[in-house]
């Protein structure tokens, strides 16, 4: 029996994507070779890469002048590649959690005077999104993390910024329509909401790629210009991972695209947040207006704290997996990514209610 999967990453994937991948692992389109055996330079894989890019451009309405790249190294490598390529005089970072802190740390290596933390929500355990600070007016770029996977906060709008806006969208990419024209770059690890671990996506404006620093030694593999020039094929790309991404995008298109997905994601999150708010046993630590639609973080009220492991076990007995909070914060986290269904959420809500009746 398939479990109710709430893992934060690698995430639950839609069944049609898994089934089609299973087939392609044995025999891709009846050509007598596995997706893992075909040449990345052959026409079969080329068609998959092209289709993936076309689908992404279509679903996100990516305007002219942007490149879609598939890279290795995870979002974590992007934390380093971004300042390596683009930090010349000054870059600004909005620090909203663990991942933004890591991104900022990579930029700080170029000088504390060059990497500026423009605002942070660290004072309250990253339970809100800072607001009211002045947007940077000059500088190489402004880096934000749109969804904070560990703390469960999310920026629900596309910021308007006069300098290139770079967004780590690892965990809310493709969860809602996005005005791509407001960003110079959007990137993330695929394993949160797009596919399996092992491939990193980057949507980059051509004009940003052209602005890369020329006064330093940037290893070939770390240059966006090289990956753009070679259409993500400078070296061997992660072929099967890209295949899965393509299948996930096809499923998303069949679902009705991003506006339908967004409605569904809101419905799931609302159901779960309502259950948390109505409960006497559980509570949500995040400021309501900044609550993530993707990673729903909740805790036991202090007097029930010792029941944390019991609840995880109780969920396990009801086929619910992946609700343990990140090891750095504890509590619980239900990741309601695109492939997570309303039925999964219903099962979790029911388990919470039953657990409460038994233990209150
Ligand atoms: C998981 C995560 C990362 C790190 O991704 P890797 O692909 O494991 O390097 C970065 N940013 C966010 C927002 C994440 O959720």
């Amino acid at each position: 029996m398939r479990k109710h999967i709430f893992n934060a990453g690698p995430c639950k994937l839609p069944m049609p994507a898994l089934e089609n991948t299973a087939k392609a692992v044995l025999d891709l389109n009846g050509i007598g070779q596995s997706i893992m055996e075909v040449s990345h330079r052959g026409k079969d894989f080329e068609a998959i890469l092209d289709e993936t890019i076309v689908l992404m451009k279509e679903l996100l309405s990516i305007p002219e002048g942007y490149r879609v790249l598939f890279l290795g190294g995870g979002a974590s490598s992007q934390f380093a590649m971004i300042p390596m390529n683009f930090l010349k005089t000054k870059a600004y970072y909005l620090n909203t959690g663990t991942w933004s802190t890591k991104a900022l740390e990579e930029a700080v290596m170029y000088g504390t005077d060059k990497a500026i933390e423009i605002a942070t929500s660290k004072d309250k355990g990253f339970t809100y999104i800072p607001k009211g600070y002045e947007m940077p007016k000059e500088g190489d770029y402004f880096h934000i993390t749109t969804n904070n996977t560990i703390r469960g906060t999310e920026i629900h709008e596309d910021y308007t910024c006069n300098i290139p806006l770079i967004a780590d969208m690892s965990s809310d990419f493709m969860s809602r329509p996005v005005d791509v024209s407001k960003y110079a770059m959007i990137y993330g690890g695929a394993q949160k909401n797009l596919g399996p671990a092992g491939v990193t996506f980057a949507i980059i404006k051509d004009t940003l790629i052209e602005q890369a620093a020329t006064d330093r030694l940037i290893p070939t593999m770390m240059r966006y210009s090289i990956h753009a020039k070679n259409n993500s094929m400078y070296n061997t790309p992660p072929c099967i991972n890209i295949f899965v991404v393509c299948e996930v995008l096809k499923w998303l298109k069949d679902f009705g695209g991003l506006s339908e997905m967004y409605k569904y994601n809101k419905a799931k999150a609302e159901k779960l947040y309502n259950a948390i708010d109505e409960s006497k046993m559980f509570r949500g630590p995040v400021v309501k207006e900044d609550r993530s639609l993707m990673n729903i973080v909740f805790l036991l009220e202090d007097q029930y704290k010792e029941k944390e492991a019991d609840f995880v076990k109780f969920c396990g007995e009801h086929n619910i997996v992946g609700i343990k909070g990140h090891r750095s914060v504890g509590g619980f986290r239900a990741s309601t990514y695109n492939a997570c269904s309303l039925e999964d959420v219903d099962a979790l809500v029911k388990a919470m209610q039953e657990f409460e009746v038994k233990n209150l």
Side-chain angles (χ1 to χ4, degrees), residues 93-104:
Y93 281 74
L94 180 63
N95 191 355
T96 48
T98 311
W99 299 114
S100 336
T101 303
K102 288 191 171 178
L104 175 61

Side-chain angles (χ1 to χ4, degrees), residues 8-9 73-79 98-100 102 145-150 168-172 187-192 197-200 295 333 337:
S76 300
S77 294
Q78 297 303 301
F79 295 165
T98 311
W99 299 114
S100 336
K102 288 191 171 178
T145 311
T146 51
N147 185 69
N148 299 283
T149 326
I150 296 174
D168 174 358
M169 280 197 195
S170 292
S171 51
D172 63 349
Y187 73 93
Q191 72 276 15
K192 303 287 165 51
V199 62
T200 309
N295 307 99
R333 169 179 55 175
Y337 297 125

Side-chain angles (χ1 to χ4, degrees), residues 247-263:
E247 290 300 319
V248 170
L249 294 177
K250 284 185 203 166
W251 168 81
L252 191 50
K253 189 177 167 178
D254 285 346
F255 193 90
L258 293 181
S259 52
E260 287 305 310
M261 197 73 244
Y262 186 39
K263 275 188 219 156

